[in-house]
Amino acid sequence: MKKYWAIFKTQVVNSLAYPGEIIWRSMAILLFLWVFTFLWRVAFDTSAATTLSGLTLRDTLWYLMLAETIELSRPRFANTIAQSVKDGSIAYLLCKPYDFLLYQLSVNAGDTVFRLVLTFIFGGALIWGMVGAPPSPWGWPLTLIAFAAGWLINFCLTALIGLAAFVVEDVTPFTWIYQKLIFILGGMMIPLDFYPPWLQRISKALPFSYVMYGPARLFVSPDLERFTALLAGQLAWVAALGVLVSIAYRRGLRRLAINGG
Amino acid sequence: MEGSKSSMRRELKFLFAIWKANLQSAMEYHIAFIAQILGMMLNNAFYFLFWVIFFERFKEIRGWGLNDMFLVFGVTATSFGVTAFLFGNAFSLSDVIAQGRLDYYLSMPRPVLLHAVSARSIPSGMGDIIYGITSYLLSGYFSWGGLGRFVVGVILASTAFAAFLIIAHSLTFWLGNAAALARLLMNAILTFALYPITLFNGPAKFLLFTIVPAALMGSVPASLVRELTWQNLGGLFLGAAVLLGLAIVVFRLGLRRYESGSAIQVEV
């Protein structure tokens, strides 16, 4: 495990090599949340209600802040894996003394840290200024654990898309569609509570909501019961998807043909 | 006069030749090409589900309903697609400048900016175009006259969008590689263009007509499709022309600061 920890630490330092890039990227959250603030203010005004499906305007905007933070700090490495499969550079990683998937996990975890912190700070400052203080801090550690478990689910799903490069020419369309599944069925753009009941049931049963809705909803309404149910679901998905990634990786390697180099 | 006409004809001929070559190059990998088109259509359809769910719950936002969103999505997606498909390098001009790849275009006897932005096509843009037209047809605003206005609106909105991208990426001449900033600005114009303009008021609305001219890509061309008024048409034409002029000026000013290590290479 020591070597993966070293890779993680190196990547954290690497991610700081271009501070301008990381700051501009993190600032994107201001833009999205600003638009959301306009939209949801009008939506609550139109409904002439202070609470919709158990959420106030303040809850909704803090929910969206965390959901956007998760989305913007989420690693997007499917195309990196796909490219290394297509151009054969995966061979250089395979002959090194570490597991390819654990290497990807360490690198992407390292990449996430500062993006997550900066996005949270920028987004939090804006929403605090717009609608007031954040939800109770005692729920924050629980949210962080749920975020980490959701991050692992996202890692497995993204790795599966990247590994699809062993069988298809181009995985880019899959990454777009996955992102939109996260947006809609994950509850990034609207809390799932506002969905019609039938769509809520479907969305909550799928892994996307465990990446996004689960941690964001826990952030605004922290309670132990919600946390344990969420974590149990997340761990079940991590286990199932982890097995699937491992199978896909081994099968992919069998198809790999590298010439020369 | 005759000379400028023939020069324009020559440049148009050149542009069509580049587009033809780009299309042939994309079609070379026809499965990937089709996958990108279908993938982008599906991607847009999933994104639009947000508005379907939203209006299912809230019905109307300050006079805007789901049919207005179909229309604004139609115009914006088509304009985005036209820019991506025909002027794909406008999306990565920062990298071209920062990596010294402008040398190649500077060495050619053709307009540098036009050549540089049209040298690459993004195949998924075709998916945006098909999706955008479908979205317009489903909006309930279709009429033959409206279709003509849709085409005019898309041409002007694409011009405004391409010009905005050129300005954003040209900041690289002054700031070093401004790719991340340009991406942020592109996200800004797209995000604002895809929301009902009636949401915004005061300084926010001013912003959408000036610094981040999203209104020229979404709500103004959509209004033009709904109804022909001189205010809509004139405003859109003027906005697109001013942005294009500004883009050319900013790029030329930037070009004076351009330095490279003689990286003349074949651009494929």
Side-chain angles (χ1 to χ4, degrees):
Chain A
M1 276 325 268
K2 238 178 170 176
K3 57 191 168 192
Y4 298 111
W5 176 244
I7 295 168
F8 168 77
K9 282 195 297 188
T10 309
Q11 199 58 31
V12 171
V13 176
N14 277 351
S15 70
L16 286 174
Y18 301 101
E21 167 116 12
I22 201 169
I23 289 171
W24 285 122
R25 208 183 274 184
S26 306
M27 280 176 77
I29 195 169
L30 299 177
L31 171 76
F32 300 127
L33 289 177
W34 195 52
V35 177
F36 275 148
T37 309
F38 278 102
L39 179 70
W40 288 101
R41 273 207 171 127
V42 175
F44 272 80
D45 282 352
T46 308
S47 309
T50 49
T51 305
L52 292 172
S53 306
L55 293 167
T56 62
L57 176 63
R58 181 176 151 274
D59 294 337
T60 306
L61 288 172
W62 276 108
Y63 168 96
L64 292 167
M65 193 287 290
L66 198 77
E68 279 289 349
T69 301
I70 295 170
E71 170 58 22
L72 293 173
S73 60
R74 188 168 66 80
R76 290 161 171 78
F77 60 99
N79 278 321
T80 315
I81 295 185
Q83 193 53 40
S84 66
V85 170
K86 278 199 281 188
D87 63 19
S89 59
I90 193 169
Y92 297 107
L93 296 173
L94 291 177
C95 64
K96 296 213 165 132
Y98 46 62
D99 180 272
F100 176 74
L101 291 171
L102 289 177
Y103 168 79
Q104 293 294 342
L105 189 119
S106 316
V107 166
N108 285 292
D111 260 345
T112 302
V113 175
F114 277 106
R115 221 179 301 155
L116 174 73
V117 172
L118 273 182
T119 314
F120 185 84
I121 291 172
F122 284 136
L126 179 77
I127 294 302
W128 197 329
M130 293 272 196
V131 291
S136 163
W138 86 262
W140 291 24
L142 302 183
T143 307
L144 192 62
I145 296 168
F147 163 80
W151 188 94
L152 284 174
I153 295 174
N154 172 68
F155 174 83
C156 293
L157 289 168
T158 311
L160 277 174
I161 294 171
L163 293 171
F166 282 114
V167 279
V168 296
E169 253 179 55
D170 185 10
V171 300
T172 315
F174 297 116
T175 62
W176 298 332
I177 293 164
Y178 172 58
Q179 186 195 43
K180 297 308 172 298
L181 288 171
I182 289 272
F183 278 17
I184 305 301
L185 299 177
M188 194 212 76
M189 297 184 80
I190 315 184
L192 297 183
D193 311 72
F194 294 165
Y195 285 19
W198 65 271
L199 190 54
Q200 269 191 53
R201 274 195 298 277
I202 294 172
S203 304
K204 286 180 181 172
L206 294 170
F208 316 110
S209 67
Y210 287 94
V211 176
M212 193 65 70
Y213 171 79
R217 192 69 174 85
L218 181 71
F219 182 61
V220 290
S221 312
D223 77 69
L224 224 45
E225 200 180 326
R226 186 189 289 275
F227 171 70
T228 44
L230 172 63
L231 195 63
Q234 286 178 316
L235 293 179
W237 274 113
V238 170
L241 291 167
V243 170
L244 216 57
V245 171
S246 173
I247 293 170
Y249 175 63
R250 271 163 235 299
R251 289 211 168 165
L253 281 190
R254 266 186 248 150
R255 297 172 67 103
L256 187 67
I258 295 164
N259 299 302
Chain B
M1 190 68 185
E2 196 54 41
S4 77
K5 242 186 198 171
S6 87
S7 149
M8 176 109 77
R9 226 187 347 253
R10 202 170 55 232
E11 299 313 342
L12 275 176
K13 220 171 143 190
F14 167 67
L15 202 54
F16 278 111
I18 290 189
W19 288 340
K20 193 177 161 197
N22 284 343
L23 185 64
Q24 282 171 337
S25 156
M27 297 285 276
E28 190 63 32
Y29 303 95
H30 57 277
I31 294 178
F33 181 64
I34 292 167
Q36 290 240 345
I37 291 173
L38 293 177
M40 185 49 78
M41 291 172 67
L42 211 55
N43 170 64
N44 290 344
F46 271 122
Y47 185 82
F48 194 74
L49 275 179
F50 163 65
W51 289 111
V52 175
I53 295 165
F54 185 87
F55 282 109
E56 168 73 23
R57 172 92 199 215
F58 297 103
K59 308 299 175 204
E60 200 184 87
I61 288 291
R62 288 189 181 154
W64 274 53
L66 188 59
N67 55 339
D68 298 290
M69 290 315 302
F70 267 109
L71 179 59
V72 95
F73 242 77
V75 173
T76 309
T78 313
S79 311
F80 181 92
V82 167
T83 310
F85 198 69
L86 301 182
F87 302 104
N89 245 3
F91 290 79
S92 48
L93 200 55
S94 303
D95 294 329
V96 173
I97 298 166
Q99 293 164 10
R101 281 156 50 205
L102 270 184
D103 289 7
Y104 170 76
Y105 305 104
L106 284 164
S107 67
M108 293 283 166
R110 291 293 174 199
V112 178
L113 179 59
L114 184 68
H115 190 180
V117 294
S118 56
R120 188 171 72 98
S121 170
I122 300 175
S124 60
M126 185 53 80
D128 284 309
I129 295 172
I130 298 170
Y131 180 85
I133 294 170
T134 311
S135 185
Y136 164 56
L137 295 176
L138 293 174
S139 70
Y141 284 109
F142 177 79
S143 67
W144 290 110
L147 184 62
R149 294 194 295 276
F150 179 81
V151 172
V152 172
V154 163
I155 292 170
L156 294 172
S158 312
T159 307
F161 180 53
F164 181 75
L165 287 181
I166 291 166
I167 295 169
H169 283 279
S170 293
L171 294 175
T172 293
F173 287 120
W174 289 272
L175 306 176
N177 196 341
L181 173 62
R183 202 175 311 122
L184 179 69
L185 289 169
M186 185 185 79
N187 277 333
I189 193 170
L190 281 177
T191 305
F192 287 121
L194 291 172
Y195 278 76
I197 190 81
T198 49
L199 283 179
F200 308 103
N201 45 32
K205 208 165 197 166
F206 175 76
L207 184 86
L208 301 190
F209 278 90
T210 53
I211 300 165
V212 182
L216 298 179
M217 208 184 161
S219 65
V220 178
S223 302
L224 178 69
V225 175
R226 273 191 220 102
E227 188 189 5
L228 175 65
T229 66
W230 290 114
Q231 195 188 357
N232 285 337
L233 184 61
L236 187 56
F237 184 82
L238 188 70
V242 167
L243 271 174
L244 185 60
L246 205 62
I248 293 169
V249 169
V250 169
F251 184 79
R252 281 193 180 163
L253 285 175
L255 213 48
R256 288 189 200 162
R257 300 173 54 90
Y258 178 68
E259 289 172 356
S260 83
S262 299
I264 296 178
Q265 55 195 320
V266 178
E267 287 285 308
V268 287

